[in-house]
Amino acid sequence: MWYNVGMNDFNFYSPTLFAFGKDKELETGALVRRFGGSRVLVHFGGGSAVRSGLLDRVTRSLEAAGLFAVKLGGVKPNPRSSKVEEGVALCAAEKIDFILAVGGGSVIDSSKAIAIGAANGGHWREYYVGKDRTPPPIPAALPVGVVLTIAAAGSEGSGNSVITLEPENLKRATSNDVLRPRFSVLNPALTFSLPPYQTACGLTDMFAHVCERYFTQTRDVVVTDELCEAVMRTVVAESAKVLADPNDYQARANVMWAGMLAHNNTCGVGRAQDWASHGIEHELSALYDCAHGAGLAVVMPAWMDYVCETDLVRFVRFATHVWGISPQENDLVTARAGIAAFRSWLKGIGMPLTFAELGAREEDIPLLVKTLGLNGNKLGSFRPLDDADVEAIYRRCLG
Ligand code: NZQ
Ligand code: ZN
C-alpha cells in the first residue's frame, strides 16, 4: 500500500502559544488581548474551576487587561450539543469575538464548537457529521484560548473537537487547524485538585493518543517512533508519582506536557494513524456517559489482542521498547507480554478493564456497532476493521 513505503509528506501547522508554569493563568488577559480578543466568552465546566478560585483569578486577569467578558458554565464531561447552542446564541447576543475555555477536554471541545457556530451564522453541527464519518471542512472559527485544568484529552494543542449530538446521542468529532487554540495556559499546579480516577483517565487517554499513532504500517518513521516511545515511557513512569502524591509539581508538569505532546500530532506526522480504538470507545462514552479514558482502558488492550498478529514486529517493539520486556521464546509470546504489561499498568492506576467494570452491557453490543455507523466502510489503518471485527473487539472487552 502507498503508506507502506516510508515517511509520508505532510503539512504540520501548530500555531498555539503555550504559557507553561506556575501562576501562568495570571497572564490570560494579556494573552487574549495579544491574540485580538476584546469581547470574551468564558466557558467552563461543572464547578471545579469555581471552587478552586481559578475562575476568579482568570476573570480578574481579563478585567485588568480591559476586556469585556461574559461567563457560560455547566459543560458536562462528554459535552452536549445543547450547551453549544446556548453558547452560540450568547456569542451572537453579546458580539463575542474570542472564546476562552477554562477546564478540560470537554470545556475546550465545547468552546471549539461554539467558535465554529459563532463564525458561521450559527452553523456548527454539520461539521461534526458527514458522509462516511468525514465532515466537510470548517470554513472559519472564532479564536479560542485555553486555561487547562486536566492533563488528558490534548485538546489544548489539537485541532479536534468531540461533541455528543442530541437528541440522537451520537458522539462525533471534527478536526481542522482553524480549531487549534491561539494559546493554552498550562499550569501543572491547577491539576493538583484532580481526583485519582480523573488523573488516571487522563493518563490512559494520553497513552492511547500515542498508541493510535505508534501502531502504523508506515515504515522508516524513526524519529516519530522514538518520540512515541519516550512519551509512553514517561507517562507510565510519572503515573506512579502523580498517584502517590497529587501535589508533586514536577510529576504533574511532566504529565501535562506529555498530554500535549501526545496529541498535537508532533508524534504522528508523516505516518498512517489508526484511531479505531477511539472510534470504538466514543460509542461507549456516548451510551454510558463514562469517562473517555476509562472507556479506552477497556477497548485499547482488546483492540491490541485482536490486531497484534497483523504486525508482530511492531508489537514486539512495543513490548521491548515501552515495557522493557526481554524477548521471549517467540514473537507472539513477547507481543502478548507487552499487551499484558499494558493491562497490568491500567489496572494498577485504577482503570477498568472489562465491560462489567465500566458499567457496559453485552446486550448493547449490536447497538454500539450500529451507532458507530461504518455503513460498509472500514475503521482504522493498522488493520482496517469492518462491523464484524468491531463486534469481536467489543466481545473481547467482556473479559
Ligand atoms: O466540570 P468540572 O467541575 O470542571 O469537573 C471536571 C470533570 O468532571 C473534572 N476536572 C477537570 N479539571 C479538574 C477537575 N476536577 C478537579 N480539579 C481539576 N483541576 O474532571 C472531569 C473530566 O473533565 P473533562 O474535561 O471531561 O476531561 P477530559 O479532559 O478527559 O476531556 C474528555 C473529553 O475530551 C474528548 C473526550 O471524548 C471527552 O469528551 N476528547 C477530545 C479530544 C480532542 N479534542 O482533541 C481528543 C480525545 O481523544 C478525546 O476524545
Ligand atoms: Zn482520547
Side-chain angles (χ1 to χ4, degrees):
M1 279 190 262
W2 66 270
Y3 54 71
N4 249 332
V5 296
M7 198 189 291
N8 303 166
D9 299 344
F10 60 86
N11 290 350
F12 181 44
Y13 178 70
S14 175
T16 308
L17 182 153
F18 294 100
F20 191 103
K22 299 183 187 74
D23 297 330
K24 281 287 181 178
E25 65 273 17
L26 304 179
E27 296 175 19
T28 307
L31 286 165
V32 172
R33 191 166 270 293
R34 171 171 169 178
F35 288 100
S38 59
R39 298 180 68 81
V40 186
L41 177 73
V42 182
H43 203 29
F44 58 98
S48 73
V50 177
R51 288 191 297 277
S52 66
L54 172 64
L55 204 66
D56 275 348
R57 293 203 294 288
V58 168
T59 307
R60 282 200 298 277
S61 167
L62 296 175
E63 282 167 6
L67 300 165
F68 170 84
V70 287
K71 290 182 196 154
L72 177 63
V75 178
K76 294 182 181 149
N78 303 317
R80 312 299 201 277
S81 53
S82 48
K83 186 57 71 177
V84 175
E85 299 289 3
E86 216 182 310
V88 172
L90 191 54
C91 285
E94 299 287 357
K95 299 189 169 36
I96 294 299
D97 59 19
F98 197 100
I99 320 282
L100 180 67
V102 181
S106 296
V107 172
I108 303 168
D109 287 3
S110 184
S111 298
K112 289 173 175 176
I114 294 169
I116 300 170
N120 295 288
H123 294 275
W124 64 273
R125 199 180 165 107
E126 57 261 48
Y127 301 107
Y128 287 76
V129 289
K131 198 171 169 310
D132 302 337
R133 296 175 62 93
T134 310
I138 301 164
L142 286 190
V144 172
V146 170
V147 180
L148 187 66
T149 63
I150 171 171
S155 190
E156 68 276 12
S158 83
N160 306 342
S161 162
V162 190
I163 301 290
T164 301
L165 303 172
E166 299 157 305
E168 308 93 318
N169 202 39
L170 292 176
K171 193 170 185 187
R172 291 294 181 260
T174 193
S175 179
N176 193 297
D177 281 341
V178 298
L179 298 181
R180 287 185 186 258
R182 296 298 199 277
F183 70 83
S184 286
V185 169
L186 271 53
N187 175 357
L190 297 179
T191 66
F192 287 174
S193 56
L194 280 168
Y197 186 75
Q198 288 299 340
T199 299
C201 287
L203 292 162
T204 306
D205 193 18
M206 62 183 78
F207 191 95
H209 292 162
V210 181
C211 288
E212 300 281 20
R213 295 171 164 98
Y214 184 70
F215 290 101
T216 183
Q217 298 286 353
T218 310
R219 299 291 176 249
D220 300 321
V221 278
V222 184
V223 64
T224 41
D225 277 346
E226 297 277 349
L227 283 171
C228 285
E229 287 161 358
V231 173
M232 287 190 279
R233 284 194 304 266
T234 302
V235 171
V236 172
E238 300 302 293
S239 67
K241 299 182 196 165
V242 286
L243 291 170
D245 176 7
N247 295 348
D248 181 336
Y249 180 87
Q250 297 305 334
R252 288 285 193 189
N254 280 292
V255 165
M256 200 168 216
W257 193 241
M260 202 299 296
L261 285 172
H263 199 42
N264 87 329
N265 219 19
T266 298
C267 296
V269 289
R271 47 203 288 144
Q273 303 184 14
D274 192 74
W275 296 101
S277 299
H278 266 68
I280 293 169
E281 189 297 311
H282 282 160
E283 298 311 316
L284 294 174
S285 44
L287 187 60
Y288 304 112
D289 205 14
C290 59
H292 168 62
L296 283 170
V298 174
V299 169
M300 191 105 231
W303 173 85
M304 289 182 177
D305 281 341
Y306 192 74
V307 305
C308 78
E309 288 179 66
T310 306
D311 184 355
L312 273 181
V313 173
R314 175 103 317 220
F315 272 91
V316 166
R317 185 170 165 152
F318 178 65
T320 55
H321 288 49
V322 178
W323 298 104
I325 289 167
S326 308
Q328 309 283 303
E329 60 261 37
N330 63 49
D331 282 355
L332 184 59
V333 176
T334 310
R336 295 241 181 257
I339 300 169
F342 178 37
R343 272 208 176 85
S344 156
W345 173 67
L346 291 167
K347 191 174 163 58
I349 64 172
M351 285 289 93
L353 291 175
T354 63
F355 254 37
E357 288 168 4
L358 190 67
R361 299 181 313 177
E362 181 175 2
E363 56 267 37
D364 291 333
I365 289 177
L367 175 65
L368 292 163
V369 175
K370 184 163 172 272
T371 51
L372 182 63
L374 289 186
N375 297 323
N377 295 305
K378 297 280 179 82
L379 183 69
S381 71
F382 184 76
R383 172 167 163 195
L385 306 173
D386 60 17
D387 278 350
D389 296 316
V390 170
E391 172 161 358
I393 290 170
Y394 280 130
R395 293 205 176 279
R396 269 172 192 264
C397 299
L398 297 173

